[in-house]
Amino acid sequence: MIRKRTRTRAGGGTPAHGRLRAVLGATTTALLTVTALAALPQTTAHAAGTLGAAAAEKGRYFGAAVAANHLGEAQYAATLNREFSSVTPENEMKWDAVEPNRGSFSFSRADQIVNHARSQGMDVRGHTLVWHSQLPGWVSGLGASDLRSAMNNHITQVMTHYKGEIHSWDVVNEAFQDGGSGARRSSPFQDKLGNGFIEEAFRTARATDPAAKLCYNDYNTDGVNAKSNAVYDMVKDFKSRGVPIDCVGFQSHFNPNSPVPSDYRANLQRFADLGVDVQITELDIEGSGQAQATNYGNVVRACLAVTRCTGITVWGIPDKYSWRSSGTPLLFDDNYNKKPAYDAALSALGGTTDPDDPDDPDDPGTPGAGCTATYTTAEQWGSGYNGKVTITAGSSPITGWSVDVTMTSPQKVLSVWNGSPTWDSSGNVMTVRPSWNGSLAAGASTSFGFTVSGGASPPPQVGACTAS
Ligand code: 9MR
């Protein structure tokens, strides 16, 4: 089972925000002791420097879709941890991932994401319980009465496993057809159970985890059109009959053929006016440069203009891992540099990049102070793997480095080469320093390796590189 929630970022308590508070505290104390300065208001002008912290100051979350197999990549984890206050498992909670065979549930990859999120104080969006896609063949083969009980059992089992851990669930995903018909999409659920399957799924979900917000989620519903009208009518009907629904997710996958609609804000608002929260759930906008940045800024401003728009999730972190990577639709480039789109989103949230933030990869910082650590799995076998961490000096030479590598029990490190490890008391965290390879010229790299037994997954968590 998953550890229960111990703290939350709701209301602005991101780690980044915590750092900001610490800085403000120190600044405030210094100013108070130098009374002649009388410059206290300056401290309040210090805007949040990350997406999560800036969104929190507006009472909202800023999330990312996350894939479990990237969590071991140091820059991926560092960017996620620094910038985002919510995660959505990109594929790991879908039906084919968690119940590949009837009644046989497999939560390990989804748990990896939830555990990571919880350890960072992030919220989790559950995605998704009932969807026609990524649906195992055994479900499509069932007759109506079996399908009904399989659907309700799936919802109950998955939501029970994550009870208390999920802030919002996409209970039903993409149940309406594209185009002008406003009809329901053909699917095993629609075809065998009829329109009532959506209502039944929401009722089962509410009975299982009454604390989770229950959302209907879809795409091409971002502006006012026949499809969004059909969803609107369904939500209105649910609200009038007391069918439990709390939120509507607008996926917001935009590209030149499907641009940000001019009535985006108005559409979000009309749903909010029905008495549900609205969330931007899978945002990505193909493009580059200033045009892309302007679109991102407009989407963020639309959410902020709607009181019940409670948060935004982007569908991935760096462009290279996007489902539409060729369209470079995300906020970070392949090397995790912030794009103009990032700056536009942050600035629309009221934040600004802190010029002195040492965690900011765009901040040149103190010359010579830096190094980065990048993890890859070099070999893998049934019960273990060889890991490799590459250390690269920043723009100036370094004479030493250190990196924390954390294994998941019962995994154990059997040997380390090209690095000297020391261990914490749990035996799970090793701090690796150079053996012979501490001195690196500016931009030069070295690597160390290690053999792990006790499980081929999950990969280790590799912390930030500290240079000396
Ligand atoms: O990003 C997901 C991609 O990795 C999967 O291959 C794909 C399979 O259908 O699903 C993608 O995520 C989808 C999301 O779950 C629902 N809305 C559309 C998203 C993009 O296809």
Side-chain angles (χ1 to χ4, degrees):
M1 277 304 284
I2 297 289
R3 195 171 39 75
K4 289 297 169 201
R5 161 182 300 214
T6 51
R7 69 191 173 99
T8 175
R9 287 182 171 198
T14 64
H17 201 238
R19 276 200 305 274
L20 174 62
R21 271 200 301 271
V23 170
L24 287 177
T27 312
T28 307
T29 310
L31 289 173
L32 288 175
T33 56
V34 187
T35 45
L37 272 179
L40 202 52
Q42 280 183 6
T43 60
T44 57
H46 193 120
T50 65
L51 299 166
E57 291 190 347
K58 304 286 186 194
R60 289 162 171 87
Y61 65 86
F62 204 101
V66 163
N69 60 331
H70 301 317
L71 284 174
E73 187 184 322
Q75 279 184 293
Y76 183 91
T79 308
L80 168 64
N81 297 348
R82 186 187 71 232
E83 295 289 343
F84 295 99
S85 54
S86 169
V87 306
T88 304
E90 186 172 356
N91 289 299
E92 292 78 353
M93 280 186 186
K94 292 172 180 175
W95 197 316
D96 61 352
V98 298
E99 195 187 5
N101 298 299
R102 189 168 187 179
S104 154
F105 289 85
S106 143
F107 292 113
S108 59
R109 278 169 9 105
D111 284 358
Q112 227 180 299
I113 295 178
V114 175
N115 286 334
H116 183 97
R118 308 307 304 155
S119 76
Q120 295 291 322
M122 298 169 180
D123 289 326
V124 182
R125 289 196 87 258
H127 176 78
T128 176
L129 294 165
V130 182
W131 187 28
H132 64 276
S133 182
Q134 289 175 277
L135 189 65
W138 67 263
V139 183
S140 330
L142 299 176
S145 98
D146 254 4
L147 179 63
R148 182 184 304 282
S149 54
M151 179 184 85
N152 287 322
N153 185 54
H154 182 79
I155 295 170
T156 308
Q157 298 292 328
V158 178
M159 287 186 78
T160 300
H161 183 80
Y162 292 112
K163 196 165 176 172
E165 301 289 337
I166 305 287
H167 75 72
S168 304
W169 265 110
D170 290 334
V171 178
V172 176
N173 196 40
E174 301 176 7
F176 285 81
Q177 249 174 44
D178 270 336
S181 71
R184 306 285 165 108
R185 176 197 292 275
S186 165
S187 72
F189 307 107
Q190 180 68 36
D191 300 348
K192 291 172 189 161
L193 307 180
N195 285 355
F197 89 86
I198 303 182
E199 169 173 352
E200 181 160 349
F202 275 85
R203 289 190 191 282
T204 303
R206 176 68 96 233
T208 310
D209 184 356
K213 299 240 187 220
L214 306 181
C215 305
Y216 175 79
N217 189 50
D218 214 327
Y219 67 95
N220 285 352
T221 50
D222 311 300
V224 177
N225 58 37
K227 189 173 178 183
S228 67
N229 286 345
V231 176
Y232 180 89
D233 290 344
M234 177 188 76
V235 174
K236 192 171 174 191
D237 170 56
F238 279 14
K239 293 301 284 185
S240 73
R241 291 191 296 112
V243 179
I245 184 166
D246 305 305
C247 36
V248 177
F250 297 83
Q251 295 186 9
S252 306
H253 293 293
F254 298 123
N255 56 56
N257 294 324
S258 173
V260 183
S262 55
D263 54 5
Y264 190 52
R265 186 201 55 74
N267 190 47
L268 298 177
Q269 186 65 59
R270 73 171 175 150
F271 277 86
D273 291 343
L274 291 175
V276 287
D277 288 343
V278 295
Q279 302 177 2
I280 296 171
T281 49
E282 304 183 14
L283 177 63
D284 50 19
I285 309 177
E286 293 187 41
S288 63
Q290 195 47 50
Q292 184 181 45
T294 301
N295 281 323
Y296 263 102
N298 288 342
V299 167
V300 170
R301 278 185 289 273
C303 178
L304 294 180
V306 176
T307 311
R308 292 198 74 150
C309 181
T310 57
I312 298 174
T313 300
V314 284
W315 205 240
I317 301 175
D319 282 334
K320 64 182 172 182
Y321 296 145
S322 164
W323 71 298
R324 286 180 167 168
S325 57
S326 63
T328 61
L330 296 174
L331 299 175
F332 296 88
D333 73 12
D334 292 355
N335 298 312
Y336 298 90
N337 295 308
K338 297 167 179 172
K339 295 165 57 179
Y342 171 96
D343 295 331
L346 181 63
S347 133
L349 289 166
T352 182
T353 302
D354 180 347
D356 297 323
D357 184 353
D359 291 338
D360 178 359
D362 282 354
D363 176 11
T366 314
C371 59
T372 54
T374 315
Y375 173 77
T376 49
T377 298
E379 283 103 27
Q380 207 171 20
W381 52 92
S383 58
Y385 60 88
N386 284 334
K388 176 181 169 185
V389 174
T390 301
I391 307 289
T392 305
S395 55
S396 294
I398 60 173
T399 54
W401 44 263
S402 100
V403 180
D404 284 352
V405 182
T406 305
M407 260 60 58
T408 304
S409 178
Q411 291 174 332
K412 287 280 169 248
V413 174
L414 300 181
S415 61
V416 179
W417 55 96
N418 296 342
S420 309
T422 53
W423 297 90
D424 82 334
S425 54
S426 74
N428 296 327
V429 185
M430 64 172 180
T431 300
V432 183
R433 297 187 177 80
S435 42
W436 50 271
N437 46 354
S439 289
L440 295 175
S445 296
T446 187
S447 61
F448 66 85
F450 49 97
T451 299
V452 175
S453 68
S457 68
Q461 300 289 325
V462 177
C465 184
T466 306
S468 51

